[in-house]
Amino acid sequence: MFDSPMSVSAYQVLRVDVDIDDEGLRRAYRVRLRETHPDTGGDAALFVQVQRAWELVGTPEARAAYDRGRGHASAEWGGAPAASPPSRPDTRPRARAYGQPGGWRRERYLSLIREWVGRGVDIADPYDPALVRSAPPEIRHILADALAEEETARLVADLGMGYTVWHDVFADRDGLDPEQKIDHLVLGPSGLYAMLSEDFGGPVGVRRGEISGPNVIGSPVTQLVSRARVIARAAGVRFSGAMVVLPDDAILDAVTTLGKVRGAPVVLVARSALTTLLRRGIPGAREVGGTELFDIRTRLQQRVRHV
């Protein structure tokens, strides 16, 4: 919960102000433990969050590090250098990939965070967690989604050479509005799927075939299916279904079926279950293979434009 730009802060979990003294923080922690303990009717998930929050700010040293923005597991927010390569290079075949996952949203975030801080103000690190935590939710959401797209891209790259992936694809009829995009198109033997990578900063539910939650704005499932239809018409292809990829702790089940939206089967899928689902396909979805797969790939290559 603390690794996402959309996550609540440790202070919010403990329901205290950031400038509370250490003794007040300790008292608040004890109160929250009693309130959330499962044995007293509390929520087990919240109980774990309270304990994790205390780990981050419970000692003067940990609290100072957290307040400086180093309490998050967020080294990758700014695209930190990759770890040293393994002694044996990974020679496994990778999926063909086109486009820059998360690239447009990263640029959008950088523009908005600098505008929010103020013109002429030097920002040493626009990805500093302390700065990110203080930004408005709509700005944090953009960065969270960029990270979600990048994580999905890492996962689908390991599907193998039988798959082709297009990232950040224009789905605007006029090709002018980058907001009207599909995060990923994935083509393989199990079918052609339109995918949205999201991070709402917490658990979400389902209501009438749509995602619901405190940070959910609009109708993401309906928008995804509508944009897929734009691509389908332009390229002359048929989608097997649509997927919304969410962090593992955002949904109870690894795969949640939403039924058909405008004729397309749609599922919510936890990141850890994504590659398995893509290899097997959505139950009941239309599979593709043989010459048809090559035909769909060619049609998409001719029509896809990246934001």
Side-chain angles (χ1 to χ4, degrees):
M1 61 163 288
F2 295 102
D3 297 339
S4 164
M6 284 296 290
S7 300
V8 294
S9 72
Y11 296 110
Q12 289 173 308
V13 170
L14 297 173
R15 294 181 179 174
V16 296
D17 295 329
V18 295
D19 56 356
I20 191 172
D21 60 41
D22 291 342
E23 182 57 33
L25 185 65
R26 189 173 295 105
R27 287 197 300 268
Y29 168 60
R30 291 170 179 165
V31 169
R32 291 293 284 147
L33 276 183
R34 290 194 296 270
E35 291 176 344
T36 60
H37 200 290
D39 291 346
T40 58
D43 186 301
L46 287 177
F47 183 67
V48 173
Q49 289 181 2
V50 169
Q51 292 176 303
R52 176 59 179 146
W54 179 251
E55 291 176 5
L56 292 172
V57 298
T59 67
E61 296 78 14
R63 185 177 182 183
Y66 184 81
D67 290 343
R68 289 195 303 270
R70 297 186 176 89
H72 281 242
S74 55
E76 294 184 359
W77 287 11
S84 299
S87 55
R88 293 184 177 181
D90 187 353
T91 58
R92 292 174 298 175
R94 311 274 283 179
R96 301 182 186 183
Y98 304 92
Q100 180 61 46
W104 181 81
R105 282 203 166 95
R106 282 232 183 228
E107 291 182 354
R108 183 69 176 147
Y109 166 77
L110 291 173
S111 174
L112 290 176
I113 197 71
R114 290 188 174 108
E115 181 180 326
W116 175 70
V117 170
R119 293 182 178 179
V121 178
D122 181 54
I123 303 178
D125 179 9
Y127 297 105
D128 178 77
L131 173 64
V132 174
R133 281 203 304 269
S134 65
E138 57 271 21
I139 296 180
R140 291 188 282 119
H141 193 186
I142 291 172
L143 177 57
D145 279 354
L147 294 166
E149 290 178 32
E150 292 166 6
E151 182 59 29
T152 296
R154 281 191 285 269
L155 292 171
V156 298
D158 290 330
L159 286 169
M161 61 187 301
Y163 290 80
T164 306
V165 187
W166 295 266
H167 302 291
D168 267 3
V169 176
F170 261 120
D172 178 29
R173 291 182 178 85
D174 300 320
L176 301 175
D177 183 5
E179 290 279 4
Q180 303 295 317
K181 76 179 183 74
I182 294 179
D183 294 343
H184 324 273
L185 303 180
V186 179
L187 172 64
S190 65
L192 172 63
Y193 294 98
M195 294 169 52
L196 168 67
S197 294
E198 260 291 358
D199 181 354
F200 296 107
V204 298
V206 176
R207 183 181 181 186
R208 296 178 181 177
E210 263 295 352
I211 303 173
S212 63
N215 295 321
V216 179
I217 299 175
S219 305
V221 171
T222 302
Q223 290 175 349
L224 173 61
V225 173
S226 297
R227 293 170 187 176
R229 288 165 65 92
V230 172
I231 298 295
R233 287 193 294 267
V237 299
R238 290 176 58 192
F239 279 87
S240 302
M243 303 181 186
V244 180
V245 187
L246 297 167
D248 284 3
D249 57 0
I251 49 179
L252 293 176
D253 299 318
V255 179
T256 300
T257 301
L258 302 186
K260 290 189 176 182
V261 179
R262 296 187 177 181
V266 182
V267 300
L268 307 184
V269 55
R271 285 177 188 159
S272 60
L274 176 61
T275 54
T276 299
L277 182 62
L278 282 170
R279 288 191 174 103
R280 294 178 179 176
I282 297 177
R286 176 176 173 273
E287 297 182 358
V288 298
T291 58
E292 183 185 14
L293 192 149
F294 292 104
D295 180 57
I296 293 173
R297 180 189 298 159
T298 300
R299 289 172 180 268
L300 288 171
Q301 280 290 74
Q302 292 173 343
R303 294 291 183 175
V304 160
R305 291 182 55 216
H306 301 283
V307 300

